[in-house]
Each structure stands twice: as structure tokens, then as C-alpha cells.
């Protein structure tokens, strides 16, 4: 799946492999429960802590 996640790269699907490719994409789809859990986790982080995390990610702290 790493190949699919690389942005702005062309990909050719070998003739006869379209179904396998689509099946692989479908198997990587995240469930609604996954996104609900992500959303609920985000709600538990205060805005001040979120600002600190952003600064850490940007190398500011």
C-alpha cells in the first residue's frame, strides 16, 4: 500500500489487474468507527495542549 500513498506519482495498472487493484484500495478504507475514535480523541486535547503539540511538530519547542 506504500506505493498508493506516495503523492503525485503516476501509477499504471497492469491489464487484467484492475479488480485486484480496486480490491486492495477497498481493503485500505478506514471504517466509520476509526474516524469516530479519531474525532473523540481530538476532543479530549485542550486547545492550549494542541498549540503546544503543533509547536513541537514544527520544531519550535
Amino acid at each position: 500500500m506504500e506505493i498508493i500513498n506516495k503523492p503525485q506519482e503516476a501509477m499504471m495498472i497492469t491489464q487484467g489487474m484492475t479488480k485486484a487493484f480496486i480490491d486492495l484500495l477497498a481493503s485500505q478504507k478506514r471504517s466509520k468507527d476509526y474516524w469516530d475514535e479519531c474525532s473523540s480523541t481530538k476532543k479530549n486535547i485542550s486547545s492550549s495542549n494542541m498549540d503546544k503539540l503543533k509547536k513541537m511538530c514544527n520544531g519550535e519547542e
Side-chain angles (χ1 to χ4, degrees), residues 1 4 13 19-30:
M1 198 63 197
I4 296 170
I13 302 169
K19 181 175 178 358
F21 177 75
I22 298 298
D23 290 345
L24 177 63
L25 281 178
S27 73
Q28 299 299 313
K29 185 177 178 183
R30 302 290 185 234

Side-chain angles (χ1 to χ4, degrees), residues 29-42:
K29 185 177 178 183
R30 302 290 185 234
S31 68
K32 183 177 179 335
D33 292 338
Y34 173 85
W35 295 114
D36 289 344
E37 184 177 342
C38 288
S39 178
S40 68
T41 301
K42 182 180 176 184

Side-chain angles (χ1 to χ4, degrees), residues 27-61:
S27 73
Q28 299 299 313
K29 185 177 178 183
R30 302 290 185 234
S31 68
K32 183 177 179 335
D33 292 338
Y34 173 85
W35 295 114
D36 289 344
E37 184 177 342
C38 288
S39 178
S40 68
T41 301
K42 182 180 176 184
K43 289 176 187 173
N44 292 329
I45 300 173
S46 70
S47 59
S48 63
N49 283 336
M50 184 60 76
D51 289 339
K52 288 178 185 178
L53 286 170
K54 287 177 183 178
K55 286 180 181 179
M56 287 172 55
C57 289
N58 291 329
E60 297 172 12
E61 263 189 43

